[in-house]
Amino acid sequence: MNFKNLREYLAWLYYQYLLITGIYVLEPWEKSIFNSILFSAVAMVIYTSYVFVPIHVRLALEFFSGIFGGQPESTMALMN
């Protein structure tokens, strides 16, 4: 894939974004406000997923391993 095709593809994706969200009818300052709010929301979702999802997955695995026959850790093993 050469750069012209990549550039055309990215321009097409941006055009689709404008059409789907309906922001092609907005003025430039309204577009920038909308895009910054959207970017902030996406960034917060990504950050929250990165921080909290692994914790919840670990807790869920510990919970289900206890229910389905996981061996409890021995206190003597922890002392050694």
Side-chain angles (χ1 to χ4, degrees):
M1 177 178 267
N2 58 17
F3 289 113
K4 185 177 181 183
N5 287 342
L6 179 63
R7 186 173 179 220
E8 289 176 0
Y9 180 69
L10 291 176
W12 179 79
L13 284 178
Y14 180 68
Y15 183 67
Q16 291 296 314
Y17 164 71
L18 291 177
L19 289 176
I20 290 171
T21 58
I23 63 173
Y24 64 94
V25 296
L26 300 177
E27 294 184 15
W29 66 273
E30 293 172 327
K31 284 183 187 180
S32 64
I33 290 175
F34 178 83
N35 286 331
S36 61
I37 290 172
L38 181 66
F39 177 75
S40 298
V42 168
M44 285 189 279
V45 166
I46 291 171
Y47 174 76
T48 304
S49 299
Y50 176 74
V51 171
F52 294 110
V53 168
I55 296 169
H56 285 78
V57 168
R58 182 182 54 83
L59 290 174
L61 287 174
E62 287 178 5
F63 176 76
F64 287 117
S65 68
I67 289 177
F68 295 118
Q71 297 295 324
E73 292 186 15
S74 171
T75 54
M76 290 305 289
L78 293 175
M79 296 176 98
N80 291 333

